Amino acid sequence: MTSIGGAEMVDWNLAVATATRLVRPGPDVSRDEARAVVAELRRHAKASEEHVRGFTRMATEESHDTPILVVDRPGWVRANVAGFREVLKPLLDKMQERRGSTPGGAVLGAVGGKVTGVELGMLLSFLSSRVLGQYETFAPATRDLPAGAAPDAPSGGRLLLVAPNIVHVERELDVQPHDFRLWVCLHEETHRTQFTAVPWLRDHLEGEIQSFLEETEVDPMTVLERVRDAAQSLAGGRPEGEEDEGGRSLVEIVQTPAQREILGRLTAVMSLLEGHADFVMDGVGPQVVPSVAEIREKFQQRRAKGASRLDLALRKLLGLDAKLRQYRDGERFVRAVVDQVGMDGFNRVWTSPNTLPTKAEIAKPADWVTRVHRKAES
C-alpha cells in the first residue's frame, strides 16, 4: 500500500465503492435465467479453446490454468481496480515519494487520494456497462478473484465474461443468444491464447507500459497545466495563437513526446491483438456459430453509432474511439497478411518483439510482409 501517514495516492476502496454505487443495473433476468447464462458462458469459454487453437495453429507448450470468471458489473470493477493497482504501483510510489518531500504533502495526499478514487470510480462505472469480456493480462490473485500461474510472473491472468452486458447486447441486437455468447467467448479466448502461447508477450507489453509510466511528469503543477490546456482544447477555448490539437483525446494531449512514441508502439501491438481476435472469432464462426454474419453486421452497426451523443463525447474524451479503430485497422492487417502468406506466415508475428508490426505497418500490411518474410528469405 502506497501511503504516507495512512494517506494513499489513490483511495482504491473509495474507487470501488463509488463505481459500485453508480453502476447501472443490468437487464431484468430471473435467478434461474442468470444461472443458465453463467453455466452456458462457462461451457462456451471452455469449448472456445479448442476452436481458437485449431484455427490459429497456436498452442501453448505448457499447461496454463487460467481461471474463467463470469462476473457482474461490480465484479468487473473490483477485478480492474486490482489490475490498476498492480500496474500503477511503480508510478504511484514515485509520485508519493515526490509529494512526501513537499510541505503539507501528507494532507494533500489524503485529499487527492479521495478525489482520484472518486474520479476513477466514476470512470469505471461508465465502462462497466460496456465491456462484454476481458482477458486480464496483469491480474493479481485475490481471495475473491483467482488468477492463473505463469512461469517467472506473479500471475498468469484471468478471463472475465461480464454476463449482464452480454445479455443486454444480445437482446438489443435481437440475435440468437446461444450464438452470440459463443461468438463473444471466441474473441476473449483468442486473447488468452495470444498470451499463453507467446511466453514473451506479457513481459514485452508490461515493459512498454512501465516505460510509458516512467515518463509521466510527477510535478503536480506540470500535470495541472497540461490538463488545463487539454480542457481548453476540448472546449474550443484554447489560448489565442496556440495550434489546435487536432481533436485528440484528453489522454493524448497530456502526454510527453517520449510517451507519444511509446504509445505508438503500444497502439500497434493492441491493434494486432484486437484485430487478430476479431479475425479469429469471424473465421471460426461459420463452423460453430450459424448466425455469425448477422451478428457481425449488427454488432458493427452498434459499434459505429454509439449509444448517444453523450456516449460519443465520452468516447472521444477518454480515447475510446481509438480503441474502436484498433479493432478495424488490426483486423484489416491480419486479413491482408493471411491472404498473402497464409496462417503460418502470419504467425511469424509472434516470433519476437522485432517481428511485431509497427504502427505504420498496421496501415500497410505489405510493408510488414516485406520486412519479415522477404528479408528472412534473402
Side-chain angles (χ1 to χ4, degrees):
M1 181 179 296
T2 306
S3 64
I4 289 184
E8 295 184 78
M9 289 291 295
V10 179
D11 191 327
W12 300 106
N13 292 333
L14 184 57
V16 172
T18 300
T20 302
R21 186 174 69 253
L22 297 177
V23 70
R24 289 184 290 179
D28 186 20
V29 295
S30 69
R31 182 169 296 181
D32 288 342
E33 287 175 315
R35 287 177 179 151
V37 170
V38 170
E40 185 173 22
L41 286 173
R42 290 187 186 280
R43 290 195 303 271
H44 285 333
K46 192 65 178 174
S48 294
E49 183 175 351
E50 182 178 349
H51 295 315
V52 168
R53 297 187 184 189
F55 181 80
T56 63
R57 302 177 194 170
M58 299 171 69
T60 56
E61 297 179 357
E62 302 179 38
S63 176
H64 287 255
D65 185 20
T66 307
I68 299 169
L69 306 180
V70 181
V71 298
D72 57 9
R73 291 169 179 174
W76 180 87
V77 167
R78 289 192 296 273
N80 276 266
V81 165
F84 280 141
R85 196 169 188 170
E86 182 81 8
V87 172
L88 295 178
K89 188 177 186 304
L91 172 63
L92 297 181
D93 285 347
K94 180 179 176 183
M95 295 180 70
Q96 188 70 59
E97 182 179 352
R98 177 70 174 267
R99 176 174 285 172
S101 63
T102 61
V107 175
L108 289 172
V111 175
K114 292 190 178 300
V115 170
T116 307
V118 170
E119 291 172 342
L120 177 59
M122 293 172 65
L123 171 62
L124 289 172
S125 71
F126 170 76
L127 296 175
S128 67
S129 62
R130 286 158 172 78
V131 177
L132 301 182
Q134 175 184 1
Y135 179 74
E136 281 200 291
T137 315
F138 312 106
T142 67
R143 183 180 61 183
D144 300 325
L145 296 165
D152 304 319
S155 64
R158 57 183 166 233
L159 194 153
L160 304 180
L161 296 168
V162 190
N165 295 349
I166 293 172
V167 172
H168 171 78
V169 174
E170 70 190 28
R171 290 180 177 178
E172 180 184 323
L173 298 182
D174 190 24
V175 293
Q176 213 285 331
H178 171 87
D179 286 2
F180 184 74
R181 294 166 193 175
L182 177 55
W183 189 70
V184 170
C185 288
L186 289 170
H187 183 101
E188 301 311 327
E189 174 56 37
T190 302
H191 286 316
R192 180 165 69 159
T193 297
Q194 289 163 349
F195 283 94
T196 56
V198 185
W200 54 264
L201 185 58
R202 181 190 187 279
D203 289 342
H204 173 73
L205 194 59
E206 183 177 26
E208 291 282 55
I209 293 172
Q210 292 306 323
S211 295
F212 181 89
L213 295 176
E214 286 170 4
E215 292 292 335
T216 301
E217 294 283 356
V218 294
D219 178 15
M221 292 306 298
T222 301
V223 175
L224 287 174
E225 189 70 18
R226 288 192 180 159
V227 170
R228 181 188 66 82
D229 292 344
Q232 288 177 336
S233 175
L234 290 168
R238 62 187 183 281
E240 185 177 355
E242 292 190 9
E243 295 183 359
D244 188 356
E245 292 285 353
R248 291 185 296 161
S249 71
L250 175 64
V251 176
E252 293 172 305
I253 294 171
V254 298
Q255 292 162 9
T256 66
Q259 285 177 315
R260 287 174 189 155
E261 182 178 337
I262 297 168
L263 186 67
R265 297 195 298 270
L266 279 169
T267 298
V269 174
M270 297 311 297
S271 295
L272 169 68
L273 298 180
E274 296 294 356
H276 183 234
D278 265 13
F279 176 79
V280 171
M281 72 195 296
D282 288 346
V284 174
Q287 287 76 45
V288 297
V289 183
S291 59
V292 64
E294 177 192 0
I295 291 173
R296 168 56 71 188
E297 181 181 359
K298 290 183 175 181
F299 196 75
Q300 290 288 64
Q301 291 173 356
R302 182 180 186 273
R303 271 183 180 172
K305 70 180 182 180
S308 65
R309 181 174 297 181
L310 174 61
D311 187 68
L312 292 172
L314 286 170
R315 275 192 197 175
K316 182 63 189 174
L317 178 65
L318 300 172
L320 299 180
D321 53 342
K323 175 79 168 178
L324 298 179
R325 288 195 300 271
Q326 287 172 9
Y327 288 103
R328 183 188 65 233
D329 297 344
E331 196 274 342
R332 287 174 182 169
F333 170 84
V334 176
R335 186 173 300 280
V337 171
V338 172
D339 285 346
Q340 289 185 59
V341 296
M343 186 64 75
D344 291 335
F346 165 78
N347 281 340
R348 286 196 190 180
V349 77
W350 312 117
T351 304
S352 75
N354 293 330
T355 56
L356 291 172
T358 64
K359 190 175 179 180
E361 288 171 340
I362 288 288
K364 295 182 177 181
D367 290 353
W368 180 87
V369 172
T370 298
R371 178 172 68 86
V372 174
H373 283 266
R374 303 295 181 261
K375 286 184 179 180
E377 295 167 1
S378 62

